[in-house]
Amino acid sequence: MEMFEGIVLTIITAATPLLFAAIGELVTERSGVLNLGVEGMMAVGAVCGFAAAHLTDQPVVAIAAAAAAGALMAALFGVVTLIFVGNQVASGLALTLFGLGLSALIGNAYVGIPGIGLPKLDIPVLTDIPLIGPILFGEDPLTYLAVLLAVGVWWFLFHTRAGLILRAVGDNHVSAHSLGYNVIKVRFLAVMFGGACAGLGGGYLSLVYTPQWTQNMTGGRGWIALALVVFATWLPSRIVIGAVLFGAVSILQLHAQAFGVGIPSQFLSMLPYLTTVVVLVIISRDRTLLRVNTPACLGQSFVPDR
């Protein structure tokens, strides 16, 4: 029983940063913008969150710093692609490289310093319930925030007028502009929201997952988050399922090594990325499934009155 509980808890821990980053990228792509800089935004969010925690010893400030750092990185991407109409793919890749370099520069002073971590929820009686108590009532605040964020995004996209406008901008930006909606403003806000979520995902890594800063600690999770959006066919509910699935694959390698399974550790380490490739190949073969929810203007630049 304790072993099962431990496995579930570690899967939740591995899934949370993916959920943050993927749900933010989903909103960004729903507005018609393809931001490939998730990995870089997560890295900057991780180091800024850790630095803020170290300097202030305040978890709330650390979380806010991680989100703000990711949003600022996304704003830079937004200025280049939405205001100056730069190529979104090239700008996103550049943002990733810039973010990884910037995070290494900022984090150089924090290597080897232990983090403060985040306190876990502890509700008397409820947290002590066998099995479900620690899983439902004993997580850190960011885990609950990630779940609430996924529910909030689902409600926003499909049950509010603002969400309808955002989806309209992503599906046909010319028509949305003709109806009087400010396409650039909507997309800029969506891009910044995506950046803030990516920053939170990075902050989770340095504040909860491994409470310390190490260079390249995102370990390709930004790319997996991008794949998760395609896996989920741009639906928030499927993002949650996908994050848990990829989190389970990530944790599987650790438990397999702990049990001494006779599989090379290098093969186990590449399992999450191998799974990502396999899933994308399978989904890409079903063009109908992709066409149903894919934003029609995804990756297309918009210039008013052109």
Side-chain angles (χ1 to χ4, degrees), residues 68-147:
L72 283 175
M73 289 284 289
L76 177 62
F77 173 83
V79 169
V80 172
T81 59
L82 301 177
I83 307 299
F84 295 107
V85 201
N87 182 278
Q88 294 180 12
V89 173
S91 301
L93 294 174
L95 188 70
T96 287
L97 297 175
F98 174 67
L100 293 175
L102 180 63
S103 63
L105 177 65
I106 298 174
N108 190 46
Y110 300 101
V111 175
I113 298 177
I116 63 171
L118 293 183
K120 291 185 179 296
L121 189 66
D122 186 11
I123 302 176
V125 181
L126 292 179
T127 307
D128 298 328
I129 298 174
L131 187 59
I132 63 171
I135 295 173
L136 297 180
F137 307 107
E139 298 291 344
D140 59 88
L142 280 178
T143 300
Y144 298 109
L145 178 61
V147 175

Side-chain angles (χ1 to χ4, degrees), residues 39-82:
E39 180 82 2
M41 295 187 294
M42 287 184 73
V44 174
V47 70
C48 289
F50 183 86
H54 177 71
L55 295 174
T56 66
D57 204 26
Q58 294 293 328
V60 175
V61 176
I63 294 171
L72 283 175
M73 289 284 289
L76 177 62
F77 173 83
V79 169
V80 172
T81 59
L82 301 177

Side-chain angles (χ1 to χ4, degrees), residues 47-269:
V47 70
C48 289
F50 183 86
H54 177 71
L55 295 174
T56 66
D57 204 26
Q58 294 293 328
V60 175
V61 176
I63 294 171
L72 283 175
M73 289 284 289
L76 177 62
F77 173 83
V79 169
V80 172
T81 59
L82 301 177
I83 307 299
F84 295 107
V85 201
N87 182 278
Q88 294 180 12
V89 173
S91 301
L93 294 174
L95 188 70
T96 287
L97 297 175
F98 174 67
L100 293 175
L102 180 63
S103 63
L105 177 65
I106 298 174
N108 190 46
Y110 300 101
V111 175
I113 298 177
I116 63 171
L118 293 183
K120 291 185 179 296
L121 189 66
D122 186 11
I123 302 176
V125 181
L126 292 179
T127 307
D128 298 328
I129 298 174
L131 187 59
I132 63 171
I135 295 173
L136 297 180
F137 307 107
E139 298 291 344
D140 59 88
L142 280 178
T143 300
Y144 298 109
L145 178 61
V147 175
L148 290 175
L149 202 58
V151 175
V153 165
W154 166 78
W155 176 80
F156 170 79
L157 286 177
F158 300 106
H159 295 84
T160 67
R161 184 170 181 272
L164 180 63
I165 294 172
L166 185 141
R167 288 189 287 132
V169 167
D171 286 333
N172 193 326
H173 51 214
V174 175
S175 296
H177 176 69
S178 301
L179 291 172
Y181 298 119
N182 190 328
V183 174
I184 301 298
K185 180 181 177 181
V186 171
R187 287 186 168 176
F188 203 93
L189 291 174
V191 166
M192 288 196 66
F193 176 80
C197 290
L200 285 172
Y204 185 88
L205 292 173
S206 62
L207 296 172
V208 178
Y209 194 78
T210 52
Q212 60 179 353
W213 162 253
T214 55
Q215 189 174 342
N216 295 325
M217 69 183 306
T218 49
R221 290 178 176 82
W223 301 112
I224 294 178
L226 283 164
L228 264 178
V229 178
V230 180
F231 168 83
T233 57
W234 291 268
L235 293 175
S237 57
R238 295 179 185 172
I239 286 277
V240 177
I241 298 172
V244 173
L245 172 65
F246 282 88
V249 173
S250 302
I251 293 303
L252 175 65
Q253 56 165 320
L254 301 179
H255 288 286
Q257 292 177 29
F259 285 115
V261 177
I263 300 176
S265 60
Q266 294 83 356
F267 179 81
L268 294 172
S269 298

